[in-house]
Amino acid sequence: MTHPEYILTLSCLDQRGIVHRVSGFLAEHGCNIIDSAQFGDAESKLFFMRVHFALEEGAVGDAPLRADFAALCTQMGMNGQLHDAGTKPRVMLMVSKIGHCLNDLLFRYKSGLLPVEIPAIVSNHMDFYQLAASYNIPFHHLPLATGADAAAKQAQEARVLDLMHTHKIDLVVLARYMQILSPGLCEAMRGKAINIHHSFLPSFKGAKPYAQAHHRGVKLIGATAHFVTGDLDEGPIIEQDVERVDHAMDADTLSAIGRDVECVVLARAVKWFVEHRILQNGDKTVVFK
């Protein structure tokens, strides 16, 4: 017989007895801890915790467990969540004309390496509608002309929000979606949208960053995955990685290496999000790997 499994996450002001209270609560409710991680931040004075557990006593149901956990959070001033580990989060992918991250995420999804449901792919171009069709995922073409006015942009973003609500989206992934989001949309996606970009920002902005990097003789290239905020490319960082390069590599080789790093970094960030391993700590993140 398999038992239902949950993932508990919490953050609160650091204080004595948190681990004792939480583990005691789980024991009292017939739960067995599978794995647990915690971190106390000396700077912010906050405590973070993630517990994966199984509910082994049939006498305790889902609703009473959630109600009692909410009461515990109130008593201890905790910001806590209880996630059903058997439920796959629903992810919407957004892309423009560069498809390596989209292709990588779809392969991981189809292979069972990424425990998600993907009910929608959104793009401002038509380049990847056939790729979406090959995975039997609805493709939504939401064009936005170059130089479009504020009204057109607002209407396009309203359709993005409508898709999020219609499909009950838990996470939006900007898999190289090359449009600047409005402050309103960023706020609506707060804490549930992840972006990826190369490591050259802010040094090499604009077109052909890898050509610029090659011209300057860079020795490290990489990528950053972060939460989306109204501060362009400056949201809380989730994951980063780099690869060494050298003088013998041309700009195309650097670009190919950069694409690989972007795919890996974004996939890690998405996987950690859907496994409820990321907790925000002000402008930073705590990631329980």
Side-chain angles (χ1 to χ4, degrees):
M1 177 181 176
T2 59
H3 301 289
E5 296 183 10
Y6 294 83
I7 296 172
L8 176 159
T9 59
L10 66 85
S11 62
C12 63
L13 286 175
D14 204 352
Q15 55 192 288
R16 286 194 299 269
I18 301 172
V19 174
H20 174 73
R21 289 289 298 275
V22 171
S23 59
F25 168 85
L26 293 175
E28 291 165 5
H29 286 74
C31 302
N32 181 47
I33 295 176
I34 298 170
D35 63 73
S36 177
Q38 55 272 335
F39 170 69
D41 186 354
E43 293 183 1
S44 68
K45 309 300 182 186
L46 294 177
F47 180 84
F48 302 86
M49 190 174 186
R50 176 187 185 272
V51 185
H52 179 194
F53 66 91
L55 178 59
E56 295 185 345
E57 298 228 355
V60 179
D62 179 84
L65 180 68
R66 292 182 181 277
D68 291 350
F69 178 63
L72 177 65
C73 289
T74 300
Q75 293 170 13
M76 298 195 66
M78 300 188 304
N79 177 17
Q81 292 82 36
L82 201 56
H83 309 277
D84 184 344
T87 299
K88 294 182 179 181
R90 297 172 64 78
V91 176
M92 185 168 79
L93 304 178
M94 298 183 69
V95 65
S96 290
K97 295 175 71 70
I98 302 173
H100 56 281
C101 287
L102 173 68
N103 190 57
D104 179 77
L105 291 172
L106 289 175
F107 174 79
R108 292 173 190 267
Y109 152 74
K110 191 67 173 181
S111 302
L113 301 174
L114 200 57
V116 299
E117 298 292 348
I118 305 178
I121 295 173
V122 172
S123 181
N124 54 328
H125 297 281
M126 286 293 291
D127 297 56
F128 299 112
Y129 78 95
Q130 289 180 318
L131 178 63
S134 72
Y135 285 91
N136 198 30
I137 298 174
F139 182 88
H140 301 271
H141 180 217
L142 306 183
L144 192 63
T146 302
D149 60 21
K153 185 174 182 63
Q154 185 177 17
Q156 192 250 18
E157 290 189 343
R159 295 182 65 190
V160 172
L161 284 171
D162 183 61
L163 286 170
M164 289 175 60
H165 296 149
T166 298
H167 294 289
K168 298 180 173 60
I169 297 299
D170 300 298
L171 174 67
V172 175
V173 180
L174 306 186
R176 296 304 302 270
Y177 180 69
M178 308 305 288
Q179 288 287 329
I180 297 175
L181 306 183
S182 70
L185 184 57
C186 289
E187 183 60 31
M189 293 180 172
R190 178 179 290 273
K192 56 182 181 180
I194 294 175
N195 190 22
I196 183 75
H197 62 73
H198 57 72
S199 63
F200 302 134
L201 294 173
S203 298
F204 306 135
K205 297 180 179 179
K208 299 183 178 179
Y210 288 98
Q212 297 179 56
H214 178 259
H215 179 71
R216 290 289 300 276
V218 301
K219 298 299 186 282
L220 287 172
I221 60 175
T224 296
H226 61 89
F227 281 114
V228 172
T229 67
D231 297 319
L232 183 63
D233 294 325
E234 295 184 13
I237 293 170
I238 300 169
E239 173 63 339
Q240 294 176 298
D241 207 347
V242 296
E243 287 285 345
R244 295 200 67 86
V245 296
D246 61 38
H247 62 277
M249 300 175 180
D250 60 18
D252 288 341
T253 301
L254 297 190
S255 180
I257 294 172
R259 288 194 297 270
D260 289 343
V261 179
E262 288 175 8
C263 288
V264 171
V265 168
L266 182 59
R268 286 176 189 157
V270 172
K271 188 171 190 294
W272 293 339
F273 182 96
V274 301
E275 292 178 349
H276 312 290
R277 297 182 180 276
I278 308 168
L279 286 79
Q280 290 202 48
N281 181 16
D283 294 330
K284 301 185 292 185
T285 61
V286 173
V287 182
F288 291 121
K289 301 179 183 179

